[in-house]
Amino acid sequence: MPGDLDCLRSNLGSKFDKSKKEDSDDFSEEILSDLIDEGYKGEELKAAFAERRAMLTSAVDNLIEEARNSKSYDSFEDMLEDTVDEEDED
């Protein structure tokens, strides 16, 4: 799982690295398109865009943190067994 975490961090981190200005990797076009479809214009569009970008960055940071703190399993079967055991406890 550590290798998977490194891969996730690398893939997500490169997409949301604030030092990079690669338009194709930051979802700006998709965010703008959605906001325009929702009727935002002018200053409201700018403010909503900044808010959505911040939310997206925060969500990715949370995903990375969850991955860091998740349990490590030797196999998929071990993970499923643990999940079943947790459901039995509830």
Side-chain angles (χ1 to χ4, degrees):
M1 187 94 159
D4 292 339
L5 178 58
D6 290 337
C7 182
L8 174 68
R9 186 179 305 128
S10 175
N11 288 337
L12 291 177
S14 67
K15 289 192 181 296
F16 298 98
D17 183 353
K18 293 175 185 154
S19 67
K20 293 186 179 183
K21 300 294 180 191
E22 299 174 8
D23 292 340
S24 63
D25 288 345
D26 70 3
F27 300 104
S28 293
E29 290 181 26
E30 292 86 353
I31 294 170
L32 282 173
S33 178
D34 287 347
L35 292 171
I36 291 168
D37 289 347
E38 292 173 26
Y40 287 93
K41 296 178 183 175
E43 293 301 315
E44 286 182 334
L45 175 62
K46 291 177 187 177
F49 177 76
E51 183 179 329
R52 298 263 176 107
R53 287 280 316 254
M55 289 170 54
L56 182 61
T57 301
S58 177
V60 169
D61 289 344
N62 289 339
L63 284 172
I64 291 171
E65 187 62 28
E66 285 178 21
R68 282 186 186 137
N69 295 328
S70 67
K71 287 184 179 179
S72 180
Y73 297 95
D74 292 327
S75 69
F76 184 69
E77 289 78 18
D78 289 346
M79 183 183 73
L80 290 176
E81 185 176 309
D82 189 40
T83 302
V84 170
D85 291 343
E86 287 177 3
E87 288 176 359
D88 289 342
E89 292 175 5
D90 293 335

